[in-house]
Amino acid sequence: MEAAAVTAGQLRERGNAQFQAGDHTAALAAYTEALSLCDEGPERAVLHRNRAACYLKLEDYTKAEADASKAIEANGRDVKALFRRSQALQKLGRLDQAVSDLQRCLSLEPNNKAFQEALRALGSSVHEKMKTMSCTDSKVEQMFQILLDLEENDADKKQKAAQNLIVLAREEPGAEKIFQSDGVRLLTQLLDTAKADLMLAALRTLVGLCSGHRSRTTAILAELGAPRLSAVLGVEHEQVSLAACNLLHVMFDSLKEGLQKDFRGKEDAVVLDSSKDLKLLIKHLLELLALEGASAHGRDNALNLLIKVVPRKSPKETNNSMSLWVIDQGLKKILEVGSTVCGSPGSLPVTENSRMSASVLLSKLYDDLKCDAERENFHRLCKDYVRSWFEGQELVGKLRAIQTVSCLLQGPSDAGNRVLELEGIMDSVLSLCASVREDHQLVAVEALIHAADKAKRASFITANGVSLLKEIYKHSERDSIRIRALVGLCKLGSAGGTDFSMKQFAEGSTLKLAKQCRKWLCNEAMDVGTRRWAVEGLAYLTFDADVKEEFVEDKAAMQAMFHLAKSEDRSVLYAVASTLVNCTNSYDHEEPDPQMLELAKYAKQHIPEQHPKDKPDFVKRRVRKLLTAGVVSALACMVKSENPALTNSCRELVSRVFLALVEEAEDRGGVVAQGGGKALIPLSLEGTELGQTKAAQALAKITITSNPEMAFPGERIYEVVRPLVSLLHLQRTGLENFEGLMALTNLAGISERLRQKILKEKAVPMIEGYMFEEHELIRLAATECMCNMAMSREVQELFLAEDSDRLKLMVLYSGEEDEKLRRAASGTLAMLTALHPPICKRIPQVTVHWLEILQALLLSASAELQHRGAVVVMNMVAAGREVAEQLMASEVLEILSVLAKDKEKPRVAQAAKESLAQAVTYGLIKPNPEQA
């Protein structure tokens, strides 16, 4: 029993030291382990109180309140626990309880000024809240009176009242008042009026009621019913459908993430399990997909919702049961949308984006599968669906089957390839390409194009389909068919990628195809859907550097493409991004190893060749022309899109382009001015890991050479921190590490709030790690970053932590040969000794070379290093007599005496004079008559 008590005590001491050093997570772990070993009541109370302090620092206020309460249960007069609980309660919005705890603190310590000030500040907050609540109550009652008055015939007045509810519902007091005042029933009546303006007001008010509040969401779902919500989503009125989509998305988030606005413990009493509600909503969304009476945009909104809420957000989440359930219950319904042939009898109403959305959803569901058995089930369901349309069916059924193949090839291509191998499918595609009916020919040619995209099929199609596509391109009278045939030829013609020596067609053929693509792209008389295919063609042809050069010289074609990127047809996004990646050469390419090249030549293997016009000078000129043509505003518009067409792979392509655009420092200001900085932030936080890294590196380049406060105004500057910190991870390249450190250095020098944000993102341990890096530039950048971070109190405390070599390293770096590193390290020491005097007393303890290093700084030929050394000595002398005595007993005294007379370096002389004056005050030296 005694051994356990001793261990618990040791753990508490360790936790105290870690807390003082700013490592609140480690301190929390130490206190928790101590609690598991401790049986003593008073000791447990102290540990709970200490844990509450950790939770406050980690911003987990619910747990902070719980731990402080446990400490108070053991000792009701524990003012520290009472004060910590009041802080937690204040953050949780329970101001009346926070006031009660503070009043108790003051009754125990009436003269404590901290308690007095906290109670005064909290009192004004409570008064403001009560005033707001009183005002809100009267407003809600007014709105309800107008809406419930059966004799009120003024439609405008009722509409205004309903819209005022939207504003009230955005704040918690208003939302709760509406909910408690039978507001859901009233809002349901508004939905049932079928009047668009009242329906919009009701839906938007419900969004406020559901946001972040699981218990209210569950109650509202029970009142409204999933069938009613699904029906509203499928209405013809586009804005109403979109508002219903937004409401459903908020409801999904609230049900999945749990509560944010509820008081602690409240939702557990009301809501036990949300999974049934989630499945019920998803079931009705899936049914809506195949419902003939649903509108086209309602179907699109349902697909978009499923894309957002069904697949796992991260592979780290282990549970993919929702995706498996959707595949079993709804895969065929999703394929119903993907297989729709516009204009055919009984076809579902769809938009130009519907099939792309279905492909994206199918791809995300397939990617969410974890094992071969799950993937085989997916393939089986797809094959069964295609067979159901293809085997023993008329021509319309075969068209549906081929359309399904196209949908799968654009999404989960593995499933598409499997289905393409079914007997008779490919033969039907080739035969229908020659159909005299335009709609049949369109379906077949598109399927052929998507099949040509896959390496497995490209050789087969090159042998069997090229002559057919050429025939269609030359002789078809319809541009809509010709342009698709041309894209098929473009894909096959670009099979060699960027390899200059691999040309599929005769010299000049790709340039002719590209010229025709640009001609169709610029033809505004053609519909957007057809012009989109011209961009698809360019996405493949621009692998050829000659095509890139001609494209960037054609300003009309570039601007026509940018205009399409901003249009409602979002399915063009990937093609636009691919074209821009090719033009900027921002795809991955590694320089071949010279030895491997020699081996390849010896073995007579093919060696890829770079086109002469893909050399850096050509790329730089192309980037400048794209910038002049307005590429940044087009990219920024593309990023704003909420459409499923902006897939993670598409986001990665856009990030690549942005990184190429900011490569030259002189271009970065223009990119920021046109919205590039704002667009890069979401790209750096969401998408593929590579895409996020590219966007983060682009942000770093901007932050290094621009004024961050101007490049990222307002709150946006704080959003930049996380992407920059991600560049410090070990799996990043040395250049990415270096640029991340440089950018963070700039941010850390701006404000304490930014330094706190960097600390919160746990960047300091990574910065410290790079201070040991062998590469001198990375080591220097890390040291400079630490210099700016040292302005923060938490970082200063880290330099005093036991068993830490941080301070020793900084002192030793101040004596290195690399002048830039010495400047950064000595600057950090000057900062630390000025802001945190206890560090001054630790410097003599960390290394025996400390005096030698300080003397070298004072005698340096660099005035800047001399000044830093003089400031460190001045701070050390001011910190205490003991350290000053050690300095004055060395050669430092003589050096300071000389420096104090140096009129050419007034800052150095002033610091030296102050050091000597303090030494005189201590009685360590006699005053100099000359200086007196």
Side-chain angles (χ1 to χ4, degrees):
M1 198 67 191
E2 287 180 11
V6 171
T7 307
Q10 288 174 339
L11 286 167
R12 180 162 66 87
E13 290 302 320
R14 186 196 303 170
N16 292 345
Q18 289 165 335
F19 188 90
Q20 289 297 322
D23 193 347
H24 304 122
T25 305
L28 177 64
Y31 294 141
T32 302
E33 189 179 347
L35 272 169
S36 69
L37 299 172
C38 179
D39 295 328
E40 299 293 329
E43 180 68 15
R44 287 184 67 82
V46 171
L47 289 167
H48 280 300
R49 185 179 71 197
N50 290 358
R51 277 209 320 186
C54 292
Y55 282 128
L56 283 171
K57 289 288 187 182
L58 296 169
E59 299 182 12
D60 191 338
Y61 303 115
T62 302
K63 289 182 179 176
E65 187 253 334
D67 262 331
S69 295
K70 287 176 183 175
I72 293 163
E73 284 171 16
N75 178 9
R77 300 176 65 84
D78 188 338
V79 289
K80 286 186 179 179
L82 283 163
F83 185 62
R84 285 167 192 171
R85 187 168 73 174
S86 77
Q87 290 176 297
L89 289 167
Q90 186 176 355
K91 292 292 185 180
L92 291 168
R94 293 149 69 179
L95 303 185
D96 50 343
Q97 292 170 274
V99 167
S100 177
D101 277 350
L102 272 175
Q103 287 171 338
R104 175 72 174 148
C105 288
L106 266 177
S107 71
L108 294 167
E109 294 186 10
N111 298 322
N112 190 310
K113 291 184 179 179
F115 296 162
Q116 291 171 359
E117 184 58 36
L119 186 60
R120 193 178 302 114
L122 194 54
S124 62
S125 298
V126 171
H127 177 72
E128 192 63 34
K129 184 180 179 183
M130 294 302 293
K131 186 178 174 183
T132 304
M133 284 292 287
S134 173
C135 181
T136 301
D137 284 355
S138 61
K139 280 184 180 178
V140 171
E141 286 169 13
Q142 269 187 335
M143 299 307 107
F144 277 3
Q145 282 173 5
I146 294 168
L147 290 164
L148 291 168
D149 188 354
L150 299 176
E151 297 179 3
E152 178 60 70
N153 296 318
D154 188 341
D156 289 340
K157 192 174 181 182
K158 282 200 168 191
Q159 182 184 342
K160 186 176 179 182
Q163 289 174 337
N164 283 340
L165 285 175
I166 301 169
V167 178
L168 287 171
R170 288 175 186 158
E171 298 296 329
E172 177 57 27
E176 189 62 23
K177 180 63 181 174
I178 293 169
F179 182 74
Q180 296 293 346
S181 304
D182 200 22
V184 179
R185 184 179 60 80
L186 172 65
L187 294 168
T188 305
Q189 290 176 10
L190 291 177
L191 281 177
D192 292 341
T193 61
K195 293 181 179 177
D197 50 356
L198 294 179
M199 290 177 78
L200 283 169
L203 290 165
R204 289 166 182 167
T205 304
L206 286 165
V207 165
L209 267 60
C210 294
S211 293
H213 206 301
R214 186 165 58 161
S215 54
R216 272 205 303 256
T217 300
T218 304
I220 289 168
L221 180 57
E223 178 84 19
L224 291 175
R228 180 187 270 113
L229 288 168
S230 177
V232 175
L233 183 67
V235 299
E236 286 293 339
H237 196 285
E238 194 168 346
Q239 282 187 307
V240 172
S241 176
L242 194 60
C245 178
N246 187 32
L247 171 60
L248 283 164
H249 194 194
V250 167
M251 293 179 91
F252 273 113
D253 284 347
S254 297
L255 291 171
K256 288 176 82 172
E257 303 299 331
L259 99 158
Q260 294 169 359
K261 295 181 181 176
D262 306 33
F263 290 151
R264 186 176 69 86
K266 179 178 175 182
E267 112 277 12
D268 291 331
V270 182
V271 183
L272 296 174
D273 184 15
S274 301
S275 60
K276 289 182 181 178
D277 291 326
L278 287 167
K279 283 188 175 179
L280 181 65
L281 284 173
I282 290 171
K283 176 174 173 285
H284 283 279
L285 288 177
L286 291 169
E287 288 175 357
L288 177 69
L289 295 181
L291 193 66
E292 288 186 16
S295 65
H297 41 258
R299 192 167 280 105
D300 279 3
N301 288 331
L303 286 166
N304 294 353
L305 262 175
L306 290 166
I307 289 166
K308 290 173 183 174
V309 304
V310 174
R312 291 172 294 166
K313 299 287 185 190
S314 163
K316 293 177 183 176
E317 296 175 32
T318 56
N319 186 2
N320 69 338
S321 59
M322 191 63 78
S323 289
L324 295 175
W325 185 81
V326 168
I327 289 167
D328 286 337
Q329 300 292 317
L331 184 64
K332 290 185 179 179
K333 293 181 176 71
I334 300 166
L335 290 172
E336 282 288 305
V337 181
S339 68
T340 296
V341 178
C342 295
S344 64
S347 62
L348 295 170
V350 292
T351 69
E352 64 272 10
N353 293 317
S354 300
R355 282 198 293 122
M356 173 59 76
S357 297
S359 294
V360 172
L361 176 56
L362 289 166
S363 181
K364 284 188 173 288
L365 290 172
Y366 187 78
D367 290 343
D368 207 31
L369 301 178
K370 296 194 292 186
C371 64
D372 290 343
E374 292 173 0
R375 283 184 277 272
E376 283 302 321
N377 179 55
F378 189 97
H379 292 313
R380 179 183 59 76
L381 290 170
C382 290
K383 286 180 178 179
D384 289 348
Y385 181 82
V386 171
R387 284 196 190 102
S388 71
W389 280 112
F390 190 77
E391 294 175 0
Q393 294 284 339
E394 299 294 327
L395 184 59
V396 173
K398 287 183 167 49
L399 286 169
R400 291 288 296 267
I402 293 170
Q403 192 79 303
T404 307
V405 173
S406 286
C407 178
L408 288 167
L409 285 169
Q410 286 181 280
S413 56
D414 286 346
N417 275 322
R418 290 276 198 101
V419 172
L420 201 58
E421 290 166 4
L422 291 174
E423 187 177 351
I425 295 286
M426 201 67 212
D427 292 336
S428 294
V429 170
L430 293 173
S431 62
L432 280 170
C433 281
S435 173
V436 292
R437 286 192 55 174
E438 182 180 5
D439 53 346
H440 296 176
Q441 205 174 13
L442 277 173
V443 171
V445 171
E446 284 188 22
L448 192 65
I449 292 166
H450 296 311
D453 213 4
K454 314 303 165 192
K456 188 187 285 188
R457 285 275 152 196
S459 58
F460 171 83
I461 293 166
T462 303
N464 298 276
V466 170
S467 57
L468 180 59
L469 288 170
K470 283 183 178 178
E471 195 68 21
I472 294 169
Y473 175 61
K474 287 177 181 176
H475 299 111
S476 177
E477 295 177 3
R478 305 180 188 96
D479 280 344
S480 59
I481 299 293
R482 291 186 67 215
I483 198 166
R484 284 163 172 80
L486 180 143
V487 171
L489 292 170
C490 291
K491 287 191 176 187
L492 295 169
S494 64
T498 57
D499 184 355
F500 180 48
S501 62
M502 290 279 285
K503 297 298 173 187
Q504 298 293 313
F505 297 139
E507 189 70 32
S509 294
T510 51
L511 288 172
K512 287 178 184 176
L513 291 172
K515 187 176 181 181
Q516 185 60 56
C517 281
R518 298 202 311 274
K519 181 181 174 183
W520 272 323
L521 177 59
C522 295
N523 186 355
E524 293 185 6
M526 296 177 74
D527 66 278
V528 172
T530 302
R531 290 167 66 206
R532 171 177 68 83
W533 283 96
V535 185
E536 290 273 356
L538 287 170
Y540 288 90
L541 292 173
T542 46
F543 279 123
D544 187 312
D546 289 317
V547 174
K548 300 177 199 182
E549 288 294 314
E550 286 195 0
F551 178 69
V552 297
E553 293 296 336
D554 190 339
K555 193 171 182 180
M558 283 193 290
Q559 292 183 336
M561 185 176 80
F562 298 156
H563 183 71
L564 272 182
K566 299 174 186 179
S567 71
E568 290 185 10
D569 184 357
R570 314 307 285 174
S571 55
V572 76
L573 296 183
Y574 192 86
V576 172
S578 298
T579 304
L580 293 172
V581 164
N582 292 341
C583 288
T584 56
N585 280 36
S586 47
Y587 38 71
D588 288 327
H589 48 87
E590 294 182 8
E591 290 296 324
D593 185 331
Q595 289 184 333
M596 295 303 292
L597 280 178
E598 289 302 318
L599 283 171
K601 287 178 184 176
Y602 179 75
K604 296 183 179 179
Q605 290 186 352
H606 173 71
I607 301 168
E609 293 179 27
Q610 185 187 42
H611 196 292
K613 292 180 181 177
D614 271 335
K615 290 181 178 175
D617 287 346
F618 284 91
V619 176
K620 194 183 294 186
R621 280 199 294 272
R622 289 201 293 266
V623 166
R624 287 278 161 81
K625 285 174 182 174
L626 286 167
L627 285 167
T628 305
V631 67
V632 176
S633 61
L635 290 171
C637 189
M638 288 165 68
V639 173
K640 287 179 190 173
S641 170
E642 286 293 321
N643 195 280
L646 189 68
T647 59
N648 286 343
S649 52
C650 184
R651 296 170 77 92
E652 181 185 314
L653 294 179
V654 175
S655 298
R656 288 176 180 276
V657 177
F658 266 124
L659 183 56
L661 296 178
V662 298
E663 186 61 37
E664 299 299 320
E666 58 266 35
D667 296 331
R668 293 169 193 170
V671 170
V672 170
Q674 294 176 59
K678 182 179 178 181
L680 278 165
I681 293 172
L683 288 172
S684 67
L685 297 171
E686 188 179 343
T688 65
E689 186 177 356
L690 184 59
Q692 290 181 60
T693 303
K694 298 282 185 190
Q697 193 180 359
L699 284 171
K701 288 179 184 289
I702 291 169
T703 309
I704 290 167
T705 55
S706 309
N707 179 346
E709 292 176 289
M710 292 181 69
F712 310 105
E715 293 297 304
R716 201 176 298 155
I717 194 169
Y718 302 100
E719 297 176 50
V720 177
V721 173
R722 181 171 295 172
L724 295 180
V725 172
S726 74
L727 293 176
L728 305 189
H729 294 156
L730 291 174
Q731 63 267 38
R732 304 288 179 258
T733 65
L735 178 61
E736 289 162 356
N737 297 154
F738 173 71
E739 291 181 333
L741 288 164
M742 292 280 285
L744 287 169
T745 302
N746 276 3
L747 292 184
I750 292 172
S751 71
E752 179 59 24
R753 188 179 166 195
L754 272 168
R755 289 190 287 275
Q756 287 297 321
K757 178 68 175 170
I758 294 169
L759 275 165
K760 191 175 178 181
E761 294 296 335
K762 298 181 171 56
V764 170
M766 290 187 275
I767 296 168
E768 286 180 342
Y770 287 113
M771 288 174 66
F772 293 93
E773 176 67 41
E774 287 184 17
H775 196 291
E776 59 185 27
L777 288 177
I778 295 177
R779 186 171 66 240
L780 172 63
T783 309
E784 288 176 341
C785 190
M786 187 58 76
C787 179
N788 283 353
M789 287 300 296
M791 287 187 273
S792 213
R793 182 74 175 184
E794 286 91 334
V795 177
Q796 294 160 20
E797 293 289 350
L798 293 176
F799 281 87
L800 284 175
E802 295 294 331
D803 303 322
S804 165
D805 287 332
R806 296 182 182 97
L807 187 57
K808 179 179 180 180
L809 182 68
M810 210 58 77
V811 174
L812 292 174
Y813 275 0
S814 298
E816 283 283 311
E817 291 182 8
D818 182 343
E819 186 173 323
K820 289 181 179 178
L821 183 61
R822 287 180 77 194
R823 196 183 307 148
S826 56
T828 308
L829 282 181
M831 184 94 63
L832 288 168
T833 52
L835 297 174
H836 205 46
I839 287 174
C840 298
K841 297 176 182 178
R842 284 289 299 278
I843 288 175
Q845 300 168 19
V846 295
T847 174
V848 295
H849 302 293
W850 70 279
L851 264 176
E852 177 188 330
I853 289 167
L854 286 178
Q855 289 169 14
L857 285 172
L858 293 171
L859 294 170
S860 171
S862 163
E864 205 171 343
L865 284 175
Q866 267 193 321
H867 180 246
R868 281 164 163 74
V871 169
V872 173
V873 170
M874 178 184 72
N875 293 334
M876 291 179 71
V877 170
R881 191 178 192 281
E882 186 180 341
V883 178
E885 191 171 6
Q886 288 177 274
L887 288 164
M888 294 303 126
S890 70
E891 293 178 16
V892 169
L893 174 59
E894 187 179 342
I895 298 169
L896 289 174
S897 301
V898 174
L899 292 177
K901 300 173 186 176
D902 193 338
K903 295 180 180 179
E904 293 182 7
K905 299 171 184 172
R907 292 194 305 162
V908 176
Q910 183 60 34
K913 286 176 185 176
E914 288 186 28
S915 298
L916 294 170
Q918 187 62 49
V920 169
T921 305
Y922 288 144
L924 297 174
I925 60 173
K926 293 181 180 179
N928 187 337
E930 292 180 18
Q931 290 184 19

